[in-house]
Amino acid sequence: MKKYIITGFSGFVGKHFLDFLGRSEFESMVLGLDLNEPEFDYKSYRNVRCNFQKINLLEDIVVKDIIKDFLPEYILHLASFSSVFNSWKTPIESFNNNVNIFLSLLETLRELQVFPRILSIGSSEEYGYINEVELPLVENNSLNPVSPYAVARVAQELMSKVYVNGFGMDIILTRSFNHFGPGQREDFAISSFAKHLVQEKLRGAEKCQLATGDIIIVRDFLDVRDVVKAYYLLLENGKKGEVYNVCSGQGVSLKDIIIKMATKLNIKVDIVINNNLLRPNDNPIIIGSNNKIRRELGWYLQYDLNQSLDDILNYWELRLR
Amino acid sequence: MKKYIITGFSGFVGKHFLDFLGRSEFESMVLGLDLNEPEFDYKSYRNVRCNFQKINLLEDIVVKDIIKDFLPEYILHLASFSSVFNSWKTPIESFNNNVNIFLSLLETLRELQVFPRILSIGSSEEYGYINEVELPLVENNSLNPVSPYAVARVAQELMSKVYVNGFGMDIILTRSFNHFGPGQREDFAISSFAKHLVQEKLRGAEKCQLATGDIIIVRDFLDVRDVVKAYYLLLENGKKGEVYNVCSGQGVSLKDIIIKMATKLNIKVDIVINNNLLRPNDNPIIIGSNNKIRRELGWYLQYDLNQSLDDILNYWELRLR
């Protein structure tokens, strides 16, 4: 039976990773760690023996005891302060809760001489300012991070490589692009748009307004269920020290997504740009190449955009009815 | 009168920067900050009104008061745990005392809305693993840091650029290559070799043994007095957000340096390689290009290798006699 520690367990991706393990033919044992209690029922999975412990990963003495007791074979390190926006407001917090929690985890493992496979989650934000001729972005593209969050992610990646080459640790790295799907918190754009449209629909509106930031920007959106499959495969068969883009390979604008959802709901939408929601320095287009992960791990996209949007709208309909 | 804060004041470079200001035609005001008391007499400079305060830069409340009172026009940020070797033993300490002290300083300045020019000192270690066809290294070469120390330096550099572009701060960056000169601590190779050879000479030996690490490696050594002139010019006229190599542009092996010093002292030396002093992953050759700083700032090398070695040997002779 495989033993996983999942940090940042209580978030959106943690829940979907557990769903994935639950659908698997094999039994697994999971210990979830997070600052916050999960809002999902992690005890109910047929094939997963799951426990949860509420901790701050910066408390290395607690983490040390946990690891010594549980002896994980895999660590899926999802814990992160992943908001670019907030990283501009509190750069030090962003840095501590990205690089420093990771570094502290690695040092605890090194001290204990316990060496599980670790998946370190990075971000497409690491590419930073992009020249359009470089699209789609491949893993050996240069990194020009333009926010405190992105710098923290690059530092985490570089540090991982040092721990692989200098200390022989078994770390695989991702640069994960925007993901979405049912259950995502509504402070993410698509989830919040979906919720608003479904709300309006349910109250019988034929037409509604929607306040947005810049919706012309094109992003590489990926269904969270494809993301967790990638993470599972990377933990199984990824190459130590290697970085993998986790992305759909396709670009779509937020505007197109809004129009698609409105069409599905048969509601007219009047988009109102709110300047407070605009972010500075945003790249107009970000699209990644997923050639490497497809070629090396046989991963492929199972959820197309229409499927994902249907599921997100259904999720909100169930929640809001 | 120009007002400088110098962090990491009590070290080798801080002292030489003060010497440089002392030789200048203009008066300056300096506030030195360091964890340790300086061992030099910082009160004795003719043209420099200098004070010192013993502090830990991570204590941001203390730093805030100091900056609010002093209102520096320039900050020369020398503070760093700069040992690559120690960064392998205590990576978290290395990270905290490189990136985090710098980030904390920037946040304090941003909070106070005090925006001096800042010189952020980086390292040739940032280039990391080098392909010899890339020599001499220019500033837009790729960075492949291979030690925790080097990752911290890269993170500091990337974060500086974010603060320049995102918050409009006035930061200039260096990648400084190996420096040496009179007064350097003897845990640095050349200084320790010089001390040992002078010691042997003074006790009348015609021949001596010298324990070393790998002395075939070729490095770009620069006299500290040329370094501080570069720092002065960068603070005066460097371009905001730009990185500058600070290097001699010439490579020399430690072996050649040892032979030159032994010849000057007229002592025969028997070099004994000590495996404990070997470092893993060392590049065989590192040489930088100083074209950018010469072209943009009119900086040039004033101390050639022979001059520097003479001065180092004289320094030890004075100390040891």
Side-chain angles (χ1 to χ4, degrees), chain A residues 31 104 122 129 246 292:
Chain A
L31 176 59
S104 164
Y129 186 75
V246 176
K292 184 171 177 182

Side-chain angles (χ1 to χ4, degrees), chain A residues 60 87-92 95-96 99-100 103-104 107 110 143-149 151-152 154-156 158-159 161-163 165-167 281, chain B residues 60 87-92 95-96 99-100 103-104 107 110 143-149 151-152 154-156 158-159 161-163 165-167 281:
Chain A
D60 51 356
S87 84
W88 284 110
K89 288 189 283 185
T90 53
I92 290 180
F95 215 71
N96 281 338
V99 198
N100 292 28
L103 189 51
S104 164
E107 278 300 287
R110 196 161 74 87
L143 304 177
N144 305 303
V146 294
S147 69
Y149 169 72
V151 171
V154 172
Q156 178 175 338
L158 294 174
M159 199 54 103
K161 291 189 173 178
V162 165
Y163 272 73
N165 297 317
F167 297 128
N281 300 329
Chain B
D60 50 357
S87 83
W88 284 108
K89 290 190 281 186
T90 54
I92 292 180
F95 215 71
N96 281 339
V99 198
N100 292 28
L103 189 51
S104 163
E107 279 299 288
R110 196 162 73 88
L143 303 178
N144 304 301
V146 294
S147 69
Y149 169 72
V151 171
V154 172
Q156 177 175 339
L158 294 174
M159 199 54 103
K161 289 188 175 178
V162 165
Y163 273 73
N165 297 316
F167 297 128
N281 301 329

Side-chain angles (χ1 to χ4, degrees), chain B residues 302-317:
Chain B
Q302 269 181 299
Y303 294 84
D304 74 4
L305 186 60
N306 275 313
Q307 172 78 56
S308 301
L309 294 179
D310 283 342
D311 294 345
I312 291 169
L313 293 172
N314 284 335
Y315 167 83
W316 282 115
E317 222 173 301

Side-chain angles (χ1 to χ4, degrees), chain B residues 16-152:
Chain B
H16 280 279
F17 191 78
L18 216 54
D19 286 351
F20 184 87
L21 292 181
R23 288 193 298 271
S24 148
E25 301 301 304
F26 308 104
E27 287 204 320
S28 351
M29 223 168 128
V30 170
L31 176 59
L33 306 177
D34 204 298
L35 272 172
N36 306 304
E37 291 278 343
E39 287 174 12
F40 49 88
D41 178 14
Y42 56 87
K43 291 281 189 197
S44 69
Y45 290 88
R46 197 177 47 91
N47 266 331
V48 189
R49 276 203 262 158
C50 186
N51 282 298
F52 171 74
Q53 207 159 334
K54 189 173 168 171
I55 63 151
N56 181 342
L57 286 176
L58 286 170
E59 290 169 10
D60 50 357
I61 297 166
V62 185
V63 175
K64 195 170 160 182
D65 284 340
I66 290 173
I67 289 171
K68 210 163 52 183
D69 288 347
F70 188 76
L71 294 175
E73 296 164 77
Y74 300 98
I75 296 182
L76 174 59
H77 182 62
L78 299 172
S80 157
F81 272 25
S82 63
S83 163
V84 173
F85 186 76
N86 288 334
S87 83
W88 284 108
K89 290 190 281 186
T90 54
I92 292 180
E93 267 201 309
S94 171
F95 215 71
N96 281 339
N97 286 284
N98 285 299
V99 198
N100 292 28
I101 54 171
F102 185 65
L103 189 51
S104 163
L105 179 65
L106 295 186
E107 279 299 288
T108 301
L109 293 167
R110 196 162 73 88
E111 206 185 317
L112 290 170
Q113 293 284 301
V114 172
F115 296 117
R117 297 214 95 182
I118 302 167
L119 189 66
S120 164
I121 309 300
S123 164
S124 56
E125 291 288 333
E126 292 176 54
Y127 291 109
Y129 186 74
I130 289 158
N131 191 327
E132 281 185 30
V133 299
E134 298 168 333
L135 297 174
L137 297 161
V138 292
E139 287 82 354
N140 58 11
N141 207 87
S142 67
L143 303 178
N144 304 301
V146 294
S147 69
Y149 169 72
V151 171

Side-chain angles (χ1 to χ4, degrees), chain A residues 180-191:
Chain A
F180 71 150
Q184 190 170 32
R185 284 202 327 264
E186 58 202 276
D187 45 350
F188 288 84
I190 296 176
S191 198

